[in-house]
Amino acid sequence: DGGITQSPKYLFRKEGQNVTLSCEQNLNHDAMYWYRQDPGQGLRLIYYSQIVNDFQKGDIAEGYSVSREKKESFPLTVTSAQKNPTAFYLCASSIILDRGYISNQPQHFGDGTRLSIL
Amino acid sequence: GENVEQHPSTLSVQEGDSAVIKCTYSDSASNYFPWYKQELGKRPQLIIDIRSNVGEKKDQRIAVTLNKTAKHFSLHITETQPEDSAVYFCAALGQGGKLIFGQGTELSVKP
């Protein structure tokens, strides 16, 4: 979906370094998500946000942080506390019809960022 | 905890044959079940989804069936083509409104 842009496509992290992955969408979606995908594995939810200036932890939030200052943007920071950051990171967005079930509408994904350790 | 089990992990079929991928879920309150196709190194793309108020949904060569009593749902691809080769993920809406993904099925369609 051309409406979600992730950058960079490839990223390398040095020991003790924080890195930030960008996710921008022009679909006017309220909800945005960050997932981590390891080789041969499914997607695991890191953080999600339903509205500007609000976000919630997913299943594997430790070592990550996010912000949602604008509706269009949901950057993810991989901190030095994340000891095994090598993975494929996917950002997604969706509309919200029922705030009790933020994920019951189709999620549209970006092209992903592949993060590796130097 | 909540989980989605997906089988098989790999599936190889001849071009023109049918392929079936099955998933079971643990949360009986789940009411939304999407399927995604992911080609190597690319984004997952939604190919079909189903809600709990129906038992089957079709879109050309792709169909999904849902059995709420047994808590399982399946993806059926008929007349497979080499371009159907990819990893397929099922997902179910879990508690707190979050999607829970299966582990994926690598489908290989041999010409």
Side-chain angles (χ1 to χ4, degrees):
Chain A
D1 292 356
I4 301 177
T5 303
Q6 287 187 243
S7 63
K9 189 169 184 177
Y10 299 97
L11 187 59
F12 297 91
R13 196 191 86 171
K14 295 180 181 179
E15 195 75 29
Q17 183 183 43
N18 293 352
V19 292
T20 297
L21 284 60
S22 171
C23 179
E24 303 277 332
Q25 53 99 0
N26 61 5
L27 301 169
N28 199 33
H29 286 172
D30 290 303
M32 297 187 75
Y33 315 82
W34 274 106
Y35 292 92
R36 170 178 172 142
Q37 187 175 30
D38 293 285
Q41 301 291 315
L43 281 67
R44 293 185 290 167
L45 184 64
I46 304 172
Y47 269 98
Y48 62 100
S49 168
Q50 300 182 64
I51 195 169
V52 173
N53 293 323
D54 189 41
F55 46 83
Q56 288 77 41
K57 292 181 179 180
D59 300 316
I60 56 167
E62 186 174 351
Y64 300 97
S65 65
V66 293
S67 62
R68 187 88 186 274
E69 297 178 0
K70 298 185 300 181
K71 186 176 184 178
E72 302 80 17
S73 178
F74 191 40
L76 172 74
T77 297
V78 183
T79 75
S80 57
Q82 173 49 248
K83 299 305 179 187
N84 183 24
T86 298
F88 189 46
Y89 291 86
L90 287 157
C91 178
S93 69
S94 69
I95 62 173
I96 297 178
L97 293 182
D98 179 351
R99 292 202 181 275
Y101 293 94
I102 65 165
S103 300
N104 71 348
Q105 296 301 312
Q107 293 187 20
H108 302 266
F109 286 86
D111 283 329
T113 293
R114 197 167 296 279
L115 176 62
S116 303
I117 299 179
L118 277 179
Chain B
E2 304 169 280
N3 72 303
V4 174
E5 296 288 335
Q6 183 172 347
H7 299 281
S9 56
T10 60
L11 179 60
S12 181
V13 299
Q14 289 295 129
E15 183 177 359
D17 288 349
S18 295
V20 180
I21 302 170
K22 299 181 179 181
C23 291
T24 58
Y25 59 97
S26 59
D27 185 359
S28 57
S30 293
N31 61 5
Y32 176 61
F33 308 90
W35 284 89
Y36 287 86
K37 174 184 180 182
Q38 186 179 31
E39 297 178 5
L40 189 63
K42 297 192 175 180
R43 71 177 80 188
Q45 292 191 310
L46 180 72
I47 54 172
I48 196 167
D49 57 9
I50 190 169
R51 299 183 188 281
S52 57
N53 57 341
V54 297
E56 184 176 6
K57 184 177 179 181
K58 289 183 180 180
D59 183 2
Q60 300 182 337
R61 297 186 297 108
I62 294 173
V64 57
T65 59
L66 172 65
N67 183 327
K68 286 208 69 180
T69 302
K71 291 191 287 186
H72 68 69
F73 57 112
S74 301
L75 178 72
H76 304 253
I77 306 174
T78 58
E79 300 173 22
T80 54
Q81 302 167 4
E83 51 265 39
D84 293 329
S85 296
V87 179
Y88 291 80
F89 292 97
C90 63
L93 192 64
Q95 292 181 14
K98 297 176 289 184
L99 279 180
I100 310 297
F101 284 83
Q103 295 300 300
T105 296
E106 184 175 359
L107 174 64
S108 175
V109 180
K110 299 186 184 304

